[in-house]
């Protein structure tokens, strides 16, 4: 879908700081992160909502989110938890009409900074953040 920003990212026609990609998925940093390391996992093939998504591809998205959450724990971002969130439809606060899973790093005692991040949503040095996540992925591969 040419007017979908996530489809444009997949096609290389819109910028994104990618941290992971395979034949069916792409993961990149959210441009308005709640916290440093906030990553989105999307299917490369357009699906507006869960109703449009093949169940096996949905499972693959969550497996990738699980792996990214573990990678972020092993990275220098020092997370000790994660929220995996998929907002399905505008009633559920989905703002981009392309299925996407949020992987949001959490730290013990971060409630105030997390709440502030929900309001401010500012980037946190995307290149070093992506490098840290990629290093966490490499650490998982080495285990």
């Amino acid at each position: 879908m040419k007017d979908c920003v996530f489809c444009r990212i997949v096609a290389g026609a819109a910028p994104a700081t990618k941290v992971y990609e395979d034949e069916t998925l792409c993961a990149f940093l959210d441009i308005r992160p709640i916290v440093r390391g906030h990553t989105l996992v999307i299917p490369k093939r357009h699906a507006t909502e869960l109703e449009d998504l093949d169940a096996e591809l949905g499972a693959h998205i969550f497996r990738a989110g699980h792996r990214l959450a573990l990678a972020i724990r092993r990275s220098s971002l020092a997370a000790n938890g994660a929220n995996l969130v998929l907002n399905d439809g505008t009633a559920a606060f989905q703002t981009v009409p392309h299925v996407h899973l949020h992987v949001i790093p959490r730290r013990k005692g971060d409630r105030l900074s997390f709440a502030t991040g929900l309001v401010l949503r500012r980037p946190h040095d995307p290149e070093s953040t992506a490098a840290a996540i990629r290093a966490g992925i490499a650490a998982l591969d080495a285990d």
Side-chain angles (χ1 to χ4, degrees):
M1 180 177 271
K2 68 181 179 180
D3 55 335
C4 171
V5 66
F6 288 173
C7 288
R8 290 196 311 271
I9 287 171
V10 168
T17 307
K18 294 181 182 177
V19 298
Y20 173 80
E21 188 168 14
D22 66 22
E23 59 282 345
T24 59
L25 302 179
C26 182
F28 50 89
L29 297 180
D30 192 309
I31 62 167
R32 295 182 57 239
I34 295 171
V35 298
R36 186 173 184 218
H38 181 170
T39 302
L40 303 178
V41 182
I42 67 165
K44 289 184 173 182
R45 187 182 42 168
H46 186 81
T48 302
E49 297 179 351
L50 286 179
E51 186 172 325
D52 308 317
L53 187 69
D54 172 74
E56 185 53 41
L57 182 54
H60 185 50
I61 290 168
F62 270 89
R63 283 191 298 272
H66 173 250
R67 184 167 169 73
L68 285 166
L70 293 175
I72 290 168
R73 282 178 176 233
R74 284 167 175 75
S75 77
S76 61
L77 298 179
N80 38 27
N83 289 116
L84 301 181
V85 180
L86 193 149
N87 301 325
D88 181 38
T90 57
F93 306 111
Q94 181 180 359
T95 57
V96 177
H98 187 122
V99 170
H100 55 287
L101 176 67
H102 296 261
V103 180
I104 307 168
R106 298 299 302 268
R107 288 155 195 86
K108 186 174 175 127
D110 72 352
R111 287 183 184 187
L112 182 59
S113 62
F114 189 83
T116 301
L118 279 169
V119 175
L120 295 179
R121 309 231 17 202
R122 294 189 177 137
H124 306 273
D125 188 13
E127 290 308 319
S128 71
T129 300
I133 295 170
R134 288 186 209 109
I137 293 169
L140 278 177
D141 291 342
D143 286 348

